[in-house]
Amino acid sequence: MDNQLRKWIYQTIDQTIEQGDFDALQDRLETDEEARAEYLKAVNLSESLHEIASTPEPVGTTVTPAASFMRWPGIFAARSLMIAASTLILVSGIAYWIGHQQSNLTPIVADSTASGSEDESLIAGHATLRRAFDVRWGQGHQRAKVGDVLGHGPLRLESGLAEIDFFCGATLIVEGPAELDIESDWSVRVDQGRLRATVPPAARGFRIKTADSEVIDLGTEFTMDVSEEQARVEVVDGEIMLRGGDHDGLHLLTGERRTLMGAPSSESIEGLATSSDLLKRDEAATFERFRSWRETNQAKQNDERLIAHYSLSTHLNGRTLSDATSNPSQDGLLLGPAQVVEGRFGEHSQGVNFDRPGARIRTRIDGQFEAFTFACWVKIDDLQQRYNALFMGDGYENGEPHWQIRDDGRLMFSVMVDDSREIEFYNKRDQRVVKDAGLHRVYMTEPFWDISKSGQWFHLVSVYDPSAKQVRQYINGQLVSEVEIEQELLVKDLRIGPAEIGNWGQPFRETPWFAVRNLDGTLDELSIYNAALTGNEIETLYESGKPVGY
């Protein structure tokens, strides 16, 4: 970036640019791709540093009259100008470095994937839970949902059926009661339970340990029935080898069976479900779950506390998402690459995917409210952006909400208290005192999502309760965060106005630039209440709306 361009960009941020220079900058941006890239980097850094204000712990405030900020005619809204001025020194420093390095890498916001394998994401686990029916997990053991990555260690089913895919390619259908110990993606120990193992060529050599024996698959399918008194194995199709115990080195072919422990038996192991059986059962259970949810959803729409209710499965007509409270002015409009996909009840339901930056649903909700409860069903594919939008008021003015997920998997909720003030606070993540435009507080949960949960459905709820002076947040019906609202941060006059679902692109109204906050995932249902729902009500919402296997 040449010195003249750098000067114009940061004079723009600093509000000191002359009209002639501003005109020249606009001409340059219209014709020079590299200049546009440099300009965007500066804007993104300013905005990113603003949003680093994520866990405010006020250490002092100063009132800054809004009128003192010049309304610059072209590029920034007033709010962005306020934060940009406070970050000018750092922006300039990075820009100076950029210029001397003459490099195009220069990530403004650190890209953890750019520096190689040392930043590569890692997940511990050996298998995933593909399907589950009526599973009751043993107390003190891990409780898995469909899609969960299963790690090393014991797994106990008191009852029900679970279909487990090991990363090597082998699949187990396990019938409870059962006790397993997952040793690796190639090995599992079974102390109790009935199971069917399907092993494709790629997983040949997969082994199941029981009693003092090992069953080593040499191709296709076998069943086992293991209890404290007896352990049996039968080859459904293909070949297995036994190692250890009384049958060490024995090979069994299709139709052959052995008793590995206990009283010998020549009876076949019958009645175990196949993968095809589970698929049919899954389809039937999913439809029944959808039918049941639709009945409760109809009743929910009559709740007088509802501000708006967006149900993709029942109120999507083309690109218009009707507000189920029958307020046409609050209807949502799918914009850009917002894509209609399957919802949480599979083919019976619908959701909207926002994985591309331009995707969004626009709506407008007027009025004044006494409390907020935001609830949604969402499937997160990845958290690629620093902030990933669920529901965002356009301008983030007094009383307006922002509901997002941070890139470290924390659910975030905030309401603007006083957009005319400038606030200083110590940011734990940045380990320093920073400035932020507008007095507000971001209420965050502990991380609830990481890449191992990609593709799973979550029921997220944030409650802003001015009467109780509390912000409560829930994940899958369970309270995960409860924070007192300090008197200085209490807002009783709540509002929304123009807003977006799944994105936020309005901070720079007079320029083409916008913060990239699209949700890389699918949203199925969103409800907004003018009330602080109780924990029992939120648990009921989750239980009545959860998919099969949750």
Side-chain angles (χ1 to χ4, degrees):
M1 180 167 59
D2 61 61
N3 291 334
Q4 184 62 68
L5 177 61
R6 184 185 305 121
K7 178 181 177 183
W8 286 342
I9 289 176
Y10 296 112
Q11 282 182 337
T12 298
I13 293 174
D14 199 30
Q15 308 175 63
T16 58
I17 192 169
E18 298 292 334
Q19 184 62 49
D21 290 341
F22 168 63
D23 293 338
L25 173 61
Q26 285 195 317
D27 292 341
R28 181 80 177 268
L29 293 177
E30 289 175 1
T31 59
D32 187 335
E33 182 177 350
E34 184 180 355
R36 289 197 296 272
E38 295 297 341
Y39 177 73
L40 181 58
K41 287 178 182 177
V43 171
N44 281 343
L45 177 60
S46 297
E47 185 62 16
S48 296
L49 290 174
H50 161 66
E51 289 295 349
I52 285 173
S54 53
T55 312
E57 294 178 5
V59 298
T61 61
T62 55
V63 176
T64 306
S68 65
F69 289 91
M70 179 182 72
R71 183 72 176 177
W72 187 68
I75 296 183
F76 287 105
R79 172 174 161 273
S80 296
L81 285 169
M82 288 189 285
I83 62 166
S86 67
T87 60
L88 176 59
I89 295 177
L90 181 56
V91 170
S92 301
I94 291 178
Y96 178 82
W97 183 85
I98 291 170
H100 279 256
Q101 295 297 318
Q102 297 182 339
S103 169
N104 291 326
L105 299 178
T106 62
I108 296 295
V109 178
D111 179 2
S112 62
T113 64
S115 57
S117 59
E118 63 183 8
D119 295 322
E120 188 174 16
S121 297
L122 299 175
I123 298 173
H126 302 299
T128 56
L129 180 63
R130 192 200 312 185
R131 297 190 181 95
F133 300 95
D134 305 322
V135 169
R136 188 158 59 89
W137 301 101
Q139 289 189 347
H141 291 70
Q142 59 177 316
R143 297 172 57 85
K145 299 188 298 297
V146 168
D148 273 352
V149 173
L150 304 177
H152 179 281
L155 197 64
R156 181 173 180 178
L157 286 74
E158 297 288 356
S159 60
L161 274 173
E163 189 172 21
I164 301 170
D165 290 337
F166 285 77
F167 292 163
C168 69
T171 295
L172 292 189
I173 296 175
V174 182
E175 180 180 302
E179 292 185 20
L180 315 176
D181 190 348
I182 297 176
E183 297 180 336
S184 73
D185 51 336
W186 288 89
S187 175
V188 60
R189 180 172 185 84
V190 178
D191 295 322
Q192 182 187 10
R194 285 159 49 87
L195 61 90
R196 179 185 296 275
T198 303
V199 184
R204 199 166 289 163
F206 179 77
R207 65 190 60 197
I208 297 179
K209 301 176 182 178
T210 186
D212 57 353
S213 300
E214 290 185 6
V215 179
I216 303 173
D217 186 89
L218 300 180
T220 58
E221 189 171 345
F222 63 93
T223 58
M224 296 184 70
D225 188 348
V226 180
S227 65
E228 291 183 359
E229 297 79 22
Q230 191 180 55
R232 296 186 293 146
V233 61
E234 178 174 347
V235 181
V236 177
D237 185 22
E239 181 181 0
I240 63 172
M241 182 179 75
L242 304 179
R243 177 180 293 169
D246 297 336
H247 308 287
D248 185 35
L250 182 67
H251 285 235
L252 300 180
L253 302 177
T254 301
E256 294 183 318
R257 61 186 72 97
R258 287 291 185 278
T259 301
L260 305 178
M261 182 191 72
S265 173
S266 59
E267 294 183 2
S268 178
I269 302 174
E270 297 179 339
L272 273 168
T274 67
S275 187
S276 296
D277 295 335
L278 293 191
L279 176 59
K280 293 177 183 176
R281 183 170 174 175
D282 187 45
E283 291 174 345
T286 298
F287 177 74
E288 178 58 27
R289 179 79 69 178
F290 172 68
R291 188 196 61 76
S292 175
W293 165 81
R294 195 167 51 187
E295 291 180 0
T296 59
N297 193 52
Q298 185 63 42
K300 186 170 65 179
Q301 291 169 193
N302 297 326
D303 191 329
E304 294 182 351
R305 301 172 298 175
L306 265 178
I307 296 171
H309 179 59
Y310 300 104
S311 172
L312 277 300
S313 299
T314 56
H315 286 79
L316 182 62
N317 181 17
R319 302 287 285 179
T320 299
L321 177 60
S322 300
D323 170 26
T325 65
S326 301
N327 186 345
S329 66
Q330 297 183 168
D331 287 353
L333 183 64
L334 277 64
L335 296 178
Q339 184 179 7
V340 179
V341 297
E342 286 188 353
R344 68 189 189 276
F345 303 110
E347 63 182 0
H348 309 294
S349 58
Q350 292 181 314
V352 170
N353 184 277
F354 302 92
D355 69 347
R356 296 174 62 188
R360 64 198 64 216
I361 298 176
R362 291 284 297 167
T363 186
R364 182 185 182 99
I365 300 174
D366 292 326
Q368 296 184 0
F369 310 107
E370 299 175 350
F372 279 145
T373 295
F374 284 81
C376 75
W377 277 99
V378 63
K379 182 179 70 174
I380 304 164
D381 296 328
D382 203 350
L383 296 177
Q384 298 186 40
Q385 325 305 344
R386 183 68 175 273
Y387 302 97
N388 303 267
L390 293 170
F391 185 94
M392 309 281 281
D394 266 8
Y396 200 31
E397 297 169 353
N398 292 346
E400 295 181 354
H402 271 188
W403 197 30
Q404 307 174 85
I405 305 169
R406 205 167 71 171
D407 60 353
D408 59 0
R410 299 172 190 269
L411 182 62
M412 307 168 58
F413 184 81
S414 62
V415 174
M416 177 56 74
V417 178
D418 184 350
D419 58 15
S420 70
R421 297 180 68 179
E422 184 176 275
I423 185 171
E424 294 179 347
F425 63 90
Y426 182 76
N427 184 276
K428 292 180 180 177
R429 197 179 196 190
D430 212 36
Q431 294 291 300
R432 65 185 177 89
V433 175
V434 298
K435 293 183 178 180
D436 193 11
L439 179 64
H440 67 122
R441 165 77 187 270
V442 181
Y443 302 90
M444 288 194 292
T445 68
E446 291 299 311
F448 72 94
W449 191 94
D450 58 42
I451 195 64
S452 70
K453 299 178 178 61
S454 176
Q456 289 187 23
W457 287 99
F458 283 89
H459 188 243
L460 307 180
V461 177
S462 293
V463 177
Y464 190 84
D465 185 353
S467 295
K469 296 183 179 179
Q470 283 185 340
V471 174
R472 300 186 296 277
Q473 306 203 69
Y474 300 78
I475 308 292
N476 291 339
Q478 300 299 308
L479 178 68
V480 297
S481 174
E482 184 176 34
V483 180
E484 180 181 356
I485 306 173
E486 299 171 25
Q487 185 62 36
E488 182 189 28
L489 301 172
L490 185 63
V491 184
K492 296 185 177 180
D493 184 8
L494 304 175
R495 61 192 70 207
I496 296 175
E500 292 190 344
I501 300 171
N503 210 329
W504 189 54
Q506 299 297 307
F508 315 125
R509 289 177 181 278
E510 300 173 7
T511 81
W513 313 115
F514 61 88
V516 179
R517 295 194 185 185
N518 63 293
L519 176 70
D520 188 1
T522 301
L523 191 142
D524 181 310
E525 183 183 6
L526 171 69
S527 305
I528 308 171
Y529 294 84
N530 181 17
L533 267 59
T534 66
N536 288 338
E537 289 176 313
I538 291 165
E539 184 177 5
T540 298
L541 288 178
Y542 169 72
E543 292 293 336
S544 64
K546 65 182 182 182
V548 173
Y550 280 64

